[in-house]
């Protein structure tokens, strides 16, 4: 069986064992040509530590539900790992489900915090009618620069109950009303194990 470390500390383990290996490739265009910026496992781990420490200082802690409004990419990955490090509960809703279903999902979960892309500001006046966030945090370029400049991290005690809620992931609603699937750490660990076995994932492979 996989240990708890396989979810919460998977990135830390990779950063320790292969710090300079590429963990993430970010597509960019230079003079119309597609290229990539590489992030190593050490880079990713440090970014997670910085954000987790910052979020903890913002009173975001174990068991708090956090609505995530971030597009797929580096910021989303780092944010989810940081929240799991804190024992907070990411609430992820598929934006393609339509506004009515989107609001219904938020009303059901009543998240404590909002972690969002600055482009989501226009939604705030609508969301405030349905939920009272204790704090709204935008993942901006300036925030990331400040975190790198301050370069302050602290050791955070991680959740050690495998049956604790790790995340709430809403279905798309394509076959009915969207439903919030509650994932425990055990669920995620089993999912990781199944994916590793099914695709025979080996170190050094690029997805």
């Amino acid at each position: 069986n996989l240990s708890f470390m396989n979810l919460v500390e998977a990135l830390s383990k990779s950063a320790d064992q292969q710090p300079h290996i590429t963990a993430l490739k970010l597509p960019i265009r230079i003079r119309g040509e597609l290229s990539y910026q590489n992030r190593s496992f050490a880079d990713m781990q440090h970014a997670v530590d910085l954000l987790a420490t910052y979020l903890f200082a913002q009173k975001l802690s174990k068991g708090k539900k956090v609505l995530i409004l971030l597009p797929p990419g580096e910021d989303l990955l780092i944010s989810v790992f940081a929240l799991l490090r804190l024992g907070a509960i990411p609430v992820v809703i598929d934006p393609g489900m339509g506004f009515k279903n989107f609001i219904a999902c938020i009303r059901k979960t009543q998240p404590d915090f909002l972690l969002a892309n600055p482009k989501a500001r226009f939604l705030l006046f609508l969301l405030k009618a349905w939920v009272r966030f204790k704090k709204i945090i935008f993942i901006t370029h300036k925030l990331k620069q400040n975190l790198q400049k301050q370069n302050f991290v602290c050791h955070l005690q991680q959740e050690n109950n495998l049956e604790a809620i790790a995340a709430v992931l809403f279905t798309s609603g394509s076959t009915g009303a969207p439903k919030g699937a509650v994932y425990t750490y055990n669920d995620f660990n089993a999912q990781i194990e199944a994916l590793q076995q099914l695709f025979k994932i080996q170190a050094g492979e690029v997805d």
Side-chain angles (χ1 to χ4, degrees):
N1 292 332
L2 289 183
S3 69
F4 176 74
M5 181 180 68
N6 285 61
L7 173 64
V8 181
E9 296 184 354
L11 182 59
S12 300
K13 182 179 178 181
S14 295
D16 288 340
Q17 295 180 350
Q18 44 188 16
H20 304 300
I21 299 298
T22 297
L24 185 65
K25 289 180 175 286
L26 305 174
I28 58 172
R29 286 198 175 274
I30 302 176
R31 301 185 189 90
E33 295 294 325
L34 182 63
S35 184
Y36 292 90
Q37 289 181 337
N38 294 337
R39 297 284 189 271
S40 70
F41 280 106
D43 292 336
M44 294 288 289
Q45 174 63 32
H46 190 56
V48 168
D49 287 341
L50 289 173
L51 183 59
T53 301
Y54 171 78
L55 294 177
F56 184 72
Q58 299 300 310
K59 311 297 184 185
L60 201 160
S61 57
K62 177 180 176 180
K64 300 297 184 182
K65 291 177 289 186
V66 185
L67 176 62
I68 298 181
L69 296 181
L70 294 168
E74 183 180 26
D75 288 345
L76 177 61
L77 288 172
I78 290 172
S79 296
V80 169
F81 271 104
L83 292 174
L84 293 174
R85 179 70 55 80
L86 291 168
I89 303 170
V91 178
V92 182
I93 303 174
D94 182 356
M97 66 173 56
F99 186 73
K100 183 179 178 180
N101 285 330
F102 177 75
I103 292 298
C105 293
I106 291 174
R107 291 181 66 184
K108 287 178 183 177
T109 53
Q110 289 294 306
D112 304 292
F113 291 81
L114 172 63
L115 202 59
N117 183 283
K119 293 180 180 179
R121 289 182 190 274
F122 75 96
L123 282 174
L124 288 183
F125 76 98
L126 296 172
L127 295 181
K128 286 179 179 178
W130 306 108
V131 61
R132 285 183 174 272
F133 295 110
K134 293 180 180 177
K135 185 162 288 189
I136 297 168
I137 300 170
F138 291 104
I139 304 298
T140 64
H141 181 66
K142 183 177 180 180
L143 172 62
K144 291 185 287 185
Q145 279 188 323
N146 287 341
L147 293 180
Q148 289 287 346
K149 184 178 180 180
Q150 294 167 5
N151 199 30
F152 176 73
V153 299
C154 61
H155 177 73
L156 299 168
Q157 184 66 40
Q158 297 173 354
E159 175 63 67
N160 56 13
N161 176 11
L162 292 175
E163 291 301 328
I165 297 175
V168 179
L169 311 180
F170 275 86
T171 60
S172 65
S174 58
T175 58
K179 302 173 184 66
V182 176
Y183 279 70
T184 66
Y185 290 94
N186 263 338
D187 292 330
F188 275 126
N189 286 346
Q191 202 169 55
I192 292 171
E193 184 175 30
L195 287 170
Q196 286 177 332
Q197 292 179 357
L198 179 63
F199 294 106
K200 296 179 172 55
I201 298 172
Q202 303 296 319
E205 293 181 345
V206 178
D207 176 27

